[in-house]
Amino acid sequence: GAVVSQHPSWVICKSGTSVKIECRSLDFQATTMFWYRQFPKQSLMLMATSNEGSKATYEQGVEKDKFLINHASLTLSTLTVTSAHPEDSSFYICSASGTTGGGSYEQYFGPGTRLTVT
Amino acid sequence: GQQLNQSPQSMFIQEGEDVSMNCTSSSIFNTWLWYKQDPGEGPVLLIALYKAGELTSNGRLTAQFGITRKDSFLNISASIPSDVGIYFCAGFTSGTYKYIFGTGTRLKVLA
């Protein structure tokens, strides 16, 4: 399967500061990248979908001004949590998707970033 | 957000036993995917299904894409301790280009 990296793997920040998380597809060109949020013992909740070179599409209830997404290239997407608050503490996971041979759409996940806001 | 119904929610099994879990939806999907997630890590793709009725195996894992395109199941044969983890199904629709995840099945294997 394809490899997706995510950096940092964990981060602790103070309330009111901003944090940037990077997601890279290492061995394929990702036409689309997704950002998910996962609370303990729960499933993944889609936050937004981003396509290279265009604005991200946010899911209902996700504040686009708080969670800034940039998809600058076919291998890199970033999520910036602005003015972070303790309730933003969570496990953030990115994924990348692109067509494999035969037109199949498979989604590969990064290892996740654990954000703790103090 | 929307989630798919996945059952069972959790299960304890003895090593060597077979495991079966399923995922149902009120919507039709073009693709069904099954993932395994270990604690503190991202999900890892196990099996991808692209056609209604398709039955696909990956080692001890077998998954099927339901005929109605609204459900899928995953079987694990002869479970081993490293099968412990959370298994998620995901449905994909090319029209919306979204992956919708199931609620997860937490598997614990007793040696």
Side-chain angles (χ1 to χ4, degrees):
Chain A
V3 180
V4 177
S5 71
Q6 208 170 322
H7 178 79
S9 56
W10 60 271
V11 57
I12 301 174
C13 70
K14 292 185 177 181
S15 185
T17 62
S18 296
V19 174
K20 179 184 284 188
I21 303 170
E22 292 187 350
C23 178
R24 294 180 186 272
S25 59
L26 299 184
D27 54 1
F28 76 109
Q29 291 188 326
T31 52
T32 305
M33 287 187 171
F34 303 86
W35 287 94
Y36 295 85
R37 184 173 181 177
Q38 186 178 35
F39 291 104
K41 297 187 178 182
Q42 293 189 21
S43 187
L44 291 81
M45 297 303 297
L46 179 65
M47 297 175 66
T49 303
S50 72
N51 293 297
E52 183 261 342
S54 61
K55 289 184 179 180
T57 301
Y58 291 81
E59 293 300 297
Q60 191 172 8
V62 177
E63 299 175 59
K64 62 180 181 181
D65 294 330
K66 181 168 187 61
F67 298 100
L68 301 178
I69 292 172
N70 182 278
H71 193 159
S73 73
L74 285 171
T75 60
L76 173 64
S77 176
T78 61
L79 166 68
T80 301
V81 182
T82 62
S83 187
H85 291 285
E87 58 265 30
D88 297 326
S89 299
S90 188
F91 193 51
Y92 292 88
I93 313 174
C94 73
S95 70
S97 176
T99 56
T100 59
S104 304
Y105 293 86
E106 296 179 356
Q107 178 185 209
Y108 297 93
F109 284 88
T113 297
R114 180 154 310 280
L115 169 64
T116 302
V117 184
T118 60
Chain B
Q2 182 187 0
Q3 284 189 318
L4 306 179
N5 294 317
Q6 198 170 332
S7 65
Q9 187 175 23
S10 64
M11 55 196 310
F12 285 85
I13 60 169
Q14 293 286 337
E15 183 178 359
E17 287 184 347
D18 296 344
V19 176
S20 184
M21 61 190 77
N22 66 70
C23 198
T24 60
S25 168
S26 57
S27 305
I28 290 174
F29 291 109
N30 305 127
T31 300
W32 281 93
L33 304 153
W34 284 93
Y35 291 88
K36 178 176 183 260
Q37 185 178 28
D38 291 326
E41 299 182 14
V44 174
L45 181 63
L46 300 174
I47 291 180
L49 303 159
Y50 304 107
K51 295 180 182 178
E54 179 182 354
L55 186 70
T56 298
S57 294
N58 177 9
R60 294 179 296 107
L61 307 177
T62 301
Q64 184 158 30
F65 192 142
I67 291 292
T68 64
R69 295 167 64 193
K70 293 183 178 180
D71 61 344
S72 177
F73 72 75
L74 174 70
N75 284 344
I76 304 173
S77 62
S79 58
I80 59 178
S82 61
D83 290 335
V84 166
I86 304 176
Y87 292 80
F88 291 104
C89 62
F92 172 77
T93 304
S94 55
T96 60
Y97 212 102
K98 284 186 183 181
Y99 297 84
I100 306 299
F101 278 79
T103 48
T105 294
R106 187 179 298 271
L107 179 64
K108 299 184 181 182
V109 179
L110 306 173

